[in-house]
Amino acid sequence: MSGVLVSLTEQSLDKTMEYLRYMQLNGFNSIFTSLQIPEEDPRELLEPLTRIGQFALKHNMLFMVDVSPRTFKHFSLQQLKDSGVTGLRIDNGMEIAEIAGLTREWRVALNASTIDQAFLDGLRGQQANFASLEAWHNYYPRPETGLELTIFQNQNRWLQSQGLTVAAFIPGDGDLRGPLHEGLPSLEKHRHLSPFAGYLELVQECFVDHVLIGDLSVSSWTMQQFLAWNEGAVLLGVEDQRPSHVWEAVHRNRPDIARDVIRSEEARHHFRGSMLPEHTVERPAGALTIDNDKYLRYRGEFQIVLHPLPADERVNVIGYVARRDIPLLPLLHKHRLPFRFLATASYCE
């Protein structure tokens, strides 16, 4: 599952609805927003909440809302249900018995970072419906306050062992949310990373089931990457591309994983003919290379360089992975994910 965060107040409702239509058409199936907006008149929030909720119901999308005890001074549970809200995200301020009661009628998400064994035992003691219970991390607008990777991974692994679905946020790369406009990640390391690289790390390495985009929009390139992933491959941008047969193929790292390079499992077997030495220059991380005739039996081998390597007269450099996609390479290397390429002529920043 993948989803989006929308603001009830930060941009016009028409613009929000346009964004939701775009994301839903491209496969995003959940919406998250917050009713914890103390500076706003609660009466002004009901119309956008209801419009978004009606859209979610029409398209069978999950609609989760961040709430607190203060929320219920202005909105009843019935009002939320009538507005199309299908789940409640509760950070703090509610007693265990209250939360357990909500799980019998609602999908309920708790702060994934603060759940511990005693808390879960208390919910079990109150006969909470664990089938309706999930663990959602916060997003962190202020730089340097996002979560640390190893603790995050360990917590998520434990939460999944308790039968809980885990959700987390990645930043967007279009319109960023205020007031700081510095991204809304759960992990601090993702703050200035491309959204798709953050997404892939969460689902491949961090025991996260459900990823939401925290900011107000994504670039067209990021959307192309999500669409390619839905079709079964990681899409990499290519700079300084030279003609080659490898651009049209889908590749995967060999199972005998090398230290310094990603070796295409398929390319050498499909190569026929001769490959003359050309552009045999130094190979920085992200260099895309094909072995030429001087490499004898390895002629036609296609690689992505992971660590800087010297020039080799037997190795032609035919392009470079776009800088923003370099963080994807360790994941392609380790997990042997299928990948393909798109030249920067079609590449949108």
Side-chain angles (χ1 to χ4, degrees):
M1 292 174 62
S2 53
V4 296
L5 184 155
V6 295
S7 170
L8 299 179
T9 61
E10 197 163 329
Q11 61 184 10
S12 72
L13 182 54
D14 286 344
K15 189 171 182 180
T16 295
M17 299 311 298
E18 179 183 356
Y19 175 57
L20 287 177
R21 284 189 287 272
Y22 173 69
M23 299 304 279
Q24 187 273 330
L25 284 171
N26 285 293
F28 288 75
N29 56 12
S30 61
I31 305 169
F32 178 80
T33 196
S34 178
L35 284 173
Q36 298 197 61
I37 314 174
E39 65 274 14
E40 297 291 336
D41 183 343
R43 292 170 296 183
E44 300 297 320
L45 303 179
L46 190 57
E47 180 188 356
L49 183 75
T50 302
R51 283 274 303 277
I52 294 167
Q54 289 172 343
F55 181 88
L57 285 173
K58 178 179 178 181
H59 296 283
N60 196 30
M61 300 176 76
L62 171 67
F63 185 26
M64 295 286 289
V65 173
D66 201 30
V67 298
S68 68
R70 183 181 181 276
T71 304
F72 299 123
K73 295 178 182 179
H74 305 287
F75 299 94
S76 69
L77 288 170
Q78 189 59 52
Q79 272 184 306
L80 296 181
K81 189 170 290 187
D82 291 344
S83 297
V85 175
T86 50
L88 307 173
R89 201 269 185 175
I90 302 165
D91 195 344
N92 53 46
M94 294 189 70
E95 299 295 328
I96 286 179
E98 294 178 283
I99 296 171
L102 287 173
T103 65
R104 298 179 196 122
E105 295 186 38
W106 290 85
R107 190 169 185 155
V108 174
L110 304 173
N111 185 339
S113 299
T114 60
I115 298 171
D116 58 19
Q117 190 65 62
F119 188 76
L120 293 185
D121 290 345
L123 286 170
R124 290 187 176 98
Q126 293 291 330
Q127 287 78 52
N129 177 12
F130 269 65
S132 298
L133 200 60
E134 299 185 358
W136 287 41
H137 286 280
N138 278 340
Y139 51 84
Y140 295 89
R142 188 201 186 282
E144 300 144 11
T145 63
L147 300 173
E148 190 275 334
L149 176 62
T150 302
I151 296 171
F152 179 81
Q153 291 170 318
N154 291 340
Q155 177 74 353
N156 294 345
R157 185 188 293 112
W158 175 75
L159 289 167
Q160 287 187 343
S161 77
Q162 299 296 307
L164 298 178
T165 295
V166 178
F169 291 85
I170 54 173
D173 59 350
D175 295 329
L176 303 184
R177 282 194 64 187
L180 300 179
H181 306 284
E182 296 200 47
L184 294 181
S186 292
L187 279 176
E188 186 59 38
K189 71 170 293 190
H190 289 168
R191 188 171 303 279
H192 301 296
L193 204 65
S194 76
F196 184 74
Y199 169 86
L200 206 58
E201 182 169 39
L202 289 183
V203 299
Q204 292 293 324
E205 305 237 299
C206 295
F207 309 96
V208 172
D209 305 290
H210 182 31
V211 179
L212 299 100
I213 297 169
D215 287 295
L216 298 176
S217 66
V218 295
S219 68
S220 59
W221 173 249
T222 290
M223 184 56 74
Q224 286 184 76
Q225 289 186 303
F226 276 110
L227 293 176
W229 179 248
N230 289 342
E231 294 171 357
V234 174
L235 183 63
L236 299 173
V238 181
E239 298 172 346
D240 299 331
Q241 181 187 47
R242 291 166 178 260
S244 173
H245 65 287
V246 303
W247 305 130
E248 304 303 318
V250 175
H251 305 271
R252 188 191 301 265
N253 195 20
R254 285 172 49 139
D256 49 339
I257 295 175
R259 182 191 66 174
D260 295 324
V261 295
I262 295 170
R263 303 178 68 190
S264 171
E265 188 173 32
E266 298 83 4
R268 200 165 96 217
H269 300 298
H270 296 153
F271 179 74
R272 298 290 182 271
S274 180
M275 178 73 63
L276 297 176
E278 184 181 13
H279 201 55
T280 57
V281 296
E282 290 185 356
R283 294 165 287 165
L288 301 161
T289 70
I290 295 183
D291 292 353
N292 61 50
D293 291 346
K294 290 187 176 183
Y295 235 134
L296 305 177
R297 61 180 291 188
Y298 292 96
R299 179 178 58 230
E301 165 135 335
F302 173 56
Q303 300 179 351
I304 305 178
V305 175
L306 297 172
H307 314 291
L309 296 173
D312 187 326
E313 65 176 2
R314 301 167 297 180
V315 180
N316 296 356
V317 176
I318 61 169
Y320 302 89
V321 173
R323 182 177 300 176
R324 65 173 291 165
D325 291 337
I326 294 289
L328 293 167
L329 301 185
L331 299 170
L332 303 184
H333 181 240
K334 178 179 178 181
H335 298 285
R336 302 187 59 238
L337 302 172
F339 58 92
R340 62 182 180 86
F341 300 94
L342 191 66
T344 50
S346 305
Y347 172 76
C348 301
E349 287 288 354

